[in-house]
Amino acid sequence: MTELRRTAALGLAASLLLLTGCASAPAAPVPSPTWVDLTGYDPERDANGLSLLAPADARTQILADAATADTTMTVTYQDASGRPLEVVFTGGGERFSAEVTADGEATSIVVDGARAAVTPSSAIAAESGIEPGAIACVAATDELVTRWQPLLDPAGFIADATTDASGLGAPQDGAVELLLGEDGTAGVLSVSTTGPALPSELIRTDESGTVHALFSGWGAAEPLALPDDC
C-alpha cells in the first residue's frame, strides 16, 4: 500500500470510529523531511537545522544566505611574508562602501551598481596616474576596484575561504562552527543557528597567510552614498 493510500485509509477509519462513537480518532502522522536526520534534533540548539547538514550542504546554505543580505565586514589579513592588509566593508555585492588599508595607506571605494568612486592611496594614485587625494569616477569593473576582490564581496570572500570545509562542531551559544581543513586545522567559520545561516566570525591560517574577519549588521548595514559628481 502506498503512503498516500495508507494515510487515506487511516483518515477514513478514524472518521468511521468518530461517527459510531466507538473510539477517538488517532492523531494524524506528522510529515518529516527525508533529507535530514532528525534523530538528535533539539529545537533550542538546532533551530535552523544547519548543524544537521553535511558540511558541503551547510556551506551551500551559508553562501546562499550570505549572498542575499548586506553586512558590515571587518577583515584583517597578513600574508606569508607578514605584510598586513585591512578592509572595512559595508553593504552587499552591488552596492557598498569600503576602506582598504595596505602598507599603512588607505584607499576608499564606493560602488553603486555599475558606477564606482575611488580615492586611492598615494602609491596607487601614482601607479595609476591619478592626482593624490582626487576621486576617480570609474566603472565598477575597473581595476581600481577589482584588484581588491574577493575582499569586496562578503559571499565571495566566504566562499574562497571555506572551499576545504570538512565538518561541523557542536552547536553552542546560538552558533555552530564550520570546520576548515582536516578537523578544523585551517580554521573555523562561526555561523548562527537561529534564523538565516549567517556568519559572525572567520578565522583561518594556511600557507598563504592568516585572516580574521568579523561580520555584523546582516540585513541592516547601510553603505556610504556615491558622490554626486560620479
Side-chain angles (χ1 to χ4, degrees):
M1 181 182 292
T2 66
E3 185 63 27
L4 182 60
R5 290 178 178 176
R6 184 180 294 109
T7 301
L10 288 172
L12 178 59
S15 298
L16 290 173
L17 287 171
L18 283 173
L19 288 173
T20 59
C22 294
S24 60
V30 177
S32 298
T34 58
W35 61 92
V36 172
D37 179 8
L38 296 177
T39 304
Y41 180 74
D42 180 339
E44 293 186 5
R45 182 193 63 193
D46 307 313
N48 62 10
L50 185 69
S51 60
L52 303 176
L53 299 176
D57 295 332
R59 177 176 179 269
T60 297
Q61 187 61 56
I62 293 165
L63 297 180
D65 288 351
T68 62
D70 290 353
T71 187
T72 293
M73 176 179 73
T74 302
V75 181
T76 302
Y77 172 72
Q78 189 172 67
D79 67 17
S81 69
R83 185 187 182 193
L85 177 71
E86 295 182 357
V87 177
V88 179
F89 173 102
T90 301
E94 295 185 357
R95 181 172 176 264
F96 63 83
S97 56
E99 184 169 280
V100 182
T101 302
D103 299 322
E105 293 191 324
T107 294
S108 297
I109 303 167
V110 178
V111 169
D112 191 343
R115 299 180 298 158
V118 181
T119 306
S121 67
S122 59
I124 294 177
E127 173 190 316
S128 306
I130 300 171
E131 182 182 346
I135 297 176
C137 297
V138 297
T141 54
D142 191 275
E143 193 269 343
L144 286 171
V145 178
T146 60
R147 68 188 296 158
W148 306 112
Q149 296 292 6
L151 292 170
L152 301 183
D153 176 8
F157 169 63
I158 295 167
D160 276 12
T162 60
T163 55
D164 56 355
S166 61
L168 287 163
Q172 186 175 8
D173 298 328
V176 64
E177 291 183 341
L178 181 68
L179 307 181
L180 310 178
E182 186 176 358
D183 297 325
T185 52
V188 296
L189 177 71
S190 297
V191 185
S192 175
T193 55
T194 302
L198 296 171
S200 58
E201 184 175 24
L202 168 70
I203 300 172
R204 182 181 180 92
T205 299
D206 55 31
E207 65 278 0
S208 66
T210 299
V211 64
H212 181 206
L214 295 171
F215 305 87
S216 62
W218 284 103
E222 185 63 30
L224 297 176
L226 197 73
D228 293 337
D229 51 0
C230 284

